[in-house]
Every structure is written in C-alpha cells, then in structure tokens.
Amino acid sequence: MSRSLLSRAVGVFRPSGATPLLSGTRRLSHTDPEPLTVTRQDRGIRRIILNNPKKRNALSLSMLESLREDILTDVDSEDLRVIIISAKGPVFSSGHDLKELTSSQGREYHTKVFHTCAEVMTLIQDIPVPVVAMVNGVATAAGCQLVASCDIAVATEKSTFATPGVNVGLFCSTPAVAIGRAVPRKVAMEMLFTGTPISAHDALLHGLVSKVVPEDRLEGETMAIAQRVCQASRPVVALGKATFQRQMAQGRDAAYATASKVMVDNLALRDGQEGIRAFIEKRKPVWSNKAEKAHD
C-alpha cells in the first residue's frame, strides 16, 4: 500500500482521464483579448493569476481549462516546488459563469462544465506540490470551492466567502464537496442553505483559510509560506501530501498503518537520510530533490 503511494507521490504524475494539454499561449476570452489566466514561475514558485476581472473571474469552461493547463504544465519538473493561485480585481472568483448554465447550452455542455471543474479541484489536491490560494476579495460558489480545495489559503481581512447558489435556484452541491471537507458540517450546511457570506475571520475560525492578514501584507505572507515550502525536499513534501490526502479518507487505525509504512519509505529516501544526518551534524541539509533511495 505504501509502495504505491510512494510511487504516486514521487514518480510521474498522471491525472486519470485528463484531457491532453494544449501547448502555447493561455486561452483567451471570447470577448476580451486578454488571457484568462496569467502564469509566471521563478525559483520554484509558480504564480497563476485569474485574469478576467470584468467577469468577476468566473470559472467558465474556458477559464477552468486554462487553469487546468497552468496547473499541469511541467508539474513533474524538479524546478516546480509550489503553486500560488490568486486573482486580478476585487473578486477572487464568483464561481461558475451562469450564462453557460442556461437551457440553451444543453445537458451535455453542462456536464462538461462540472466534470472539468471537478477535475481541476481534484488535481489541486492530487498533484505532488502544495497549492496556496492567495485571496483578496470575494470568493463565492465554485470560487469558494477553489479556495477550499487548495492545501493552504491566505486571505485579507476584507475577503468574504459564500455559497449563494440556493438563492438563484442552483444548490452548491459541487462546492459542498470541498467546503464540507474543510469546515465543520453545521457551518457548511448554514453556508449552503442560506447563502450568507462569512467573513475572513470566521473562515479562519472554521478552517476554510489558514491565515488572515491586512491587505498590505498579503503578498509578503503568501510568498513567505511558499519560500518555506521551497526549502524542504521536493520528494519528501510530495510523499507527505499524498499520505495526508489518503489519511483523511481513512479511519484512525488504517491511517496509522498507512502513515507508519510511509514514514519507513520516507526514511529510505536519500533526502530522508540527508535530513537526519544534517540534524545530527548541526548543519543545513543539502537536498537532492530527487526520489532516489538511500537503502531498500
């Protein structure tokens, strides 16, 4: 069991049923020449910026496909250590584009929208590097789902979070999958049944976000987290993330059994032994950042 988990964490990531990636520039909006997402990477940190503020960064099918491409491109590269997802404008994301969900689009198109959204949300949790949401504004419906799906979320004090679908006749069933795993059941149900927004501080209290900071500190606090992740061994982080995701779906005894076996696998990694030697020798570890074994 732990062997397969180790292979998944530190080997080549292959999303199940993923659509082949498009190469080249990011998708453009049908009405705006600006790219829907902007991506840049430096020193192991990939920044993905939702870039359609005129439409409140709605997670249209094109936006979701662009986001999926940004996440998956070179995801197994040793140069990629962490991903930060942020947004341009006062709205992080308003969720799905309701104009795509009318009867004129049809059931097949609607199914494709929700399938692609689910794929993006699960990718965030399944890829071998941590994903951090950097939120400065409103996150509603699938936008709130995106925040809940990230491994870490840093938000400004003015940010708010809501699942208001019930108020427009479309219950937020898919956002509930991620939100219901991030916050207590009764908190999730109140959000889902009433659509009432919660503040950033309430989101922190209930576990939807990791940290709340003043707006002028958002960039610095988020980058500090990303830089700390970059200081760790990539395969060790990947193994830890995969293990944690599996544990959350297991009972206590099974989780301990999985974790114990994975820790033995971790000790067999070259970087696992390097970290221990560095601690004993009172020096900084020198990571290989490769999934090489020190012993069987």
Side-chain angles (χ1 to χ4, degrees):
M1 175 164 52
S2 61
R3 291 296 175 191
S4 61
L5 192 59
L6 177 62
S7 299
R8 176 184 171 191
V10 299
V12 176
F13 177 76
R14 293 186 179 89
S16 59
T19 303
L21 296 184
L22 298 178
S23 60
T25 59
R26 299 293 175 253
R27 289 173 177 79
L28 302 180
S29 165
H30 295 301
T31 58
D32 195 328
E34 287 292 315
L36 291 173
T37 60
V38 175
T39 306
R40 59 180 182 268
Q41 185 169 324
D42 182 48
R43 299 179 185 180
I45 302 171
R46 178 176 298 173
R47 305 287 302 269
I48 302 175
I49 303 168
L50 307 183
N51 189 46
N52 195 12
K54 291 180 181 178
K55 287 200 169 184
R56 298 165 63 86
N57 293 312
L59 296 181
S60 63
L61 181 58
S62 294
M63 175 74 90
L64 288 166
E65 289 173 339
S66 185
L67 183 56
R68 178 179 62 190
E69 181 180 350
D70 290 339
I71 292 169
L72 283 175
T73 299
D74 296 327
V75 72
D76 290 311
S77 169
E78 295 174 8
D79 294 330
L80 177 62
R81 311 298 294 280
V82 61
I83 294 173
I84 297 173
I85 299 176
S86 60
K88 182 179 179 181
V91 177
F92 178 77
S93 175
S94 59
H96 291 295
D97 185 346
L98 295 183
K99 291 181 179 179
E100 292 189 338
L101 305 182
T102 61
S103 295
S104 61
Q105 294 289 349
R107 188 179 188 88
E108 185 177 344
Y109 188 87
H110 296 164
T111 299
K112 185 176 182 180
V113 168
F114 290 111
H115 173 81
T116 305
C117 183
E119 184 183 346
V120 169
M121 302 301 168
T122 54
L123 276 175
I124 287 170
Q125 297 185 332
D126 289 348
I127 61 172
V129 298
V131 181
V132 183
M134 188 172 84
V135 185
N136 185 27
V138 177
T140 60
C144 188
Q145 178 185 2
L146 179 57
V147 175
S149 298
C150 290
D151 301 304
I152 300 169
V154 184
T156 57
E157 295 167 325
K158 72 176 186 181
S159 297
T160 59
F161 305 85
T163 51
V166 68
N167 298 323
V168 296
L170 182 64
F171 195 82
C172 286
S173 297
T174 46
V177 175
I179 295 166
R181 285 163 170 76
V183 306
R185 179 179 180 273
K186 288 181 174 60
V187 174
M189 297 307 282
E190 182 178 352
M191 291 178 67
L192 292 163
F193 287 144
T194 68
T196 304
I198 64 172
S199 68
H201 287 290
D202 281 344
L204 177 63
L205 175 66
H206 299 308
L208 183 59
V209 302
S210 316
K211 184 177 288 190
V212 175
V213 298
E215 186 173 1
D216 61 358
R217 287 175 48 197
L218 178 63
E219 179 84 13
E221 292 284 348
T222 306
M223 289 300 294
I225 291 171
Q227 288 162 357
R228 286 195 291 272
V229 171
C230 289
Q231 292 172 5
S233 162
R234 188 185 194 276
V236 170
V237 169
L239 182 59
K241 178 174 176 176
T243 304
F244 183 80
Q245 295 292 351
R246 185 164 188 168
Q247 288 172 319
M248 291 299 98
Q250 294 178 317
R252 182 195 62 189
D253 293 347
Y256 269 121
T258 295
S260 297
K261 291 174 182 176
V262 170
M263 289 197 75
V264 172
D265 285 342
N266 193 159
L267 285 170
L269 289 174
R270 176 178 166 184
D271 280 355
Q273 290 300 308
E274 165 61 14
I276 290 173
R277 283 196 303 271
F279 179 82
I280 293 171
E281 296 169 5
K282 296 182 172 58
R283 59 174 174 82
K284 288 186 177 181
V286 180
W287 306 123
S288 70
N289 290 312
K290 299 180 183 295
E292 297 175 349
K293 291 185 178 181
H295 60 262
D296 291 327

